[in-house]
Amino acid sequence: MLVLVAGLVLFIGVHSLRLVPGGRDKLQAQLGEMPYKLGYTVISLVGFALIIYGKIIAHPPVVVWYPPEWTRHLAFTLVPVALILIVSAYAPGHIRRWVRHPMLAGTMLWAFGHLVANGELSAVLLFGSFFVWSAITFIASWMRETPPPIVKGWGGDLTAIILGVLAALILMNIHRYLFGVAIIG
């Protein structure tokens, strides 16, 4: 469990620099743009690798609660919406304008869906950490920034919906092979 926690601290810690007013800008000014980006990337990748490895070795699982069956259906519903939001972060459109930070909103929905559907301690740590971090960062970003500019047309939104649903369908089919849990079949 220690490996998982170390990975979460590194990954979420480096992604929380925006929460410290001026912290990211000061650090980037001190280190320089490229060294900052390189360090950010390395710390993120190391943290991500530790999260994956820590979740894998968290066996036998310590069960905190046994989630009811309906929570799996909730996750099954929330994750495609989360993936549409995540894709819309890269596709200028109305979704991005309305939500402002669709990557964080998508991460929040993804984490919440998985949190309620999993009762293992390692899952609670993993998805709970991502949920809390994305909720705090979403609120802070919403209060600090103005909405993106108005976009004409619906092409970006349609692209986000198609790619998000496609990604959800692919993940549903390979989830068992990636994470050991069958979503369908």
Side-chain angles (χ1 to χ4, degrees):
M1 203 69 71
L2 216 50
V3 176
L4 175 62
V5 171
L8 287 167
V9 167
L10 286 175
F11 188 86
I12 292 176
V14 77
H15 282 83
S16 296
L17 286 173
R18 292 183 144 216
L19 294 174
V20 179
R24 185 179 73 159
D25 295 334
K26 279 183 188 176
L27 190 57
Q28 192 170 1
Q30 288 174 344
L31 298 174
E33 186 177 353
M34 283 312 269
Y36 170 80
K37 287 182 177 180
L38 181 63
Y40 187 95
T41 301
V42 168
I43 292 169
S44 295
L45 289 173
V46 168
F48 191 62
L50 289 174
I51 289 169
I52 293 169
Y53 183 65
K55 182 69 173 100
I56 289 170
I57 64 171
H59 290 286
V62 175
V63 178
V64 178
W65 81 84
Y66 294 96
E69 187 66 31
W70 66 265
T71 60
R72 292 189 181 149
H73 299 293
L74 179 62
F76 189 80
T77 304
L78 291 178
V79 170
V81 175
L83 291 170
I84 291 168
L85 286 169
I86 289 168
V87 173
S88 72
Y90 300 102
H94 301 283
I95 296 171
R96 186 171 164 196
R97 177 161 174 79
W98 295 330
V99 179
R100 288 197 196 175
H101 299 282
M103 176 72 74
L104 292 170
T107 302
M108 201 174 1
L109 280 179
W110 166 83
F112 180 75
H114 282 79
L115 179 62
V116 298
N118 292 281
E120 299 173 3
L121 180 59
S122 61
V124 171
L125 280 172
L126 173 62
F127 301 119
S129 297
F130 271 97
F131 177 75
V132 169
W133 167 79
S134 58
I136 291 169
T137 307
F138 181 83
I139 292 166
S141 298
W142 185 274
M143 293 178 3
R144 163 180 82 232
E145 298 170 8
T146 58
I150 296 173
V151 184
K152 294 181 182 180
W154 293 88
D157 300 300
L158 188 57
T159 301
I161 292 167
I162 291 170
L163 291 177
V165 168
L166 185 60
L169 290 172
I170 291 169
L171 281 171
M172 284 179 206
N173 284 292
I174 64 172
H175 198 274
R176 175 187 333 160
Y177 306 109
L178 293 176
F179 309 109
V181 178
I183 302 298
I184 56 175

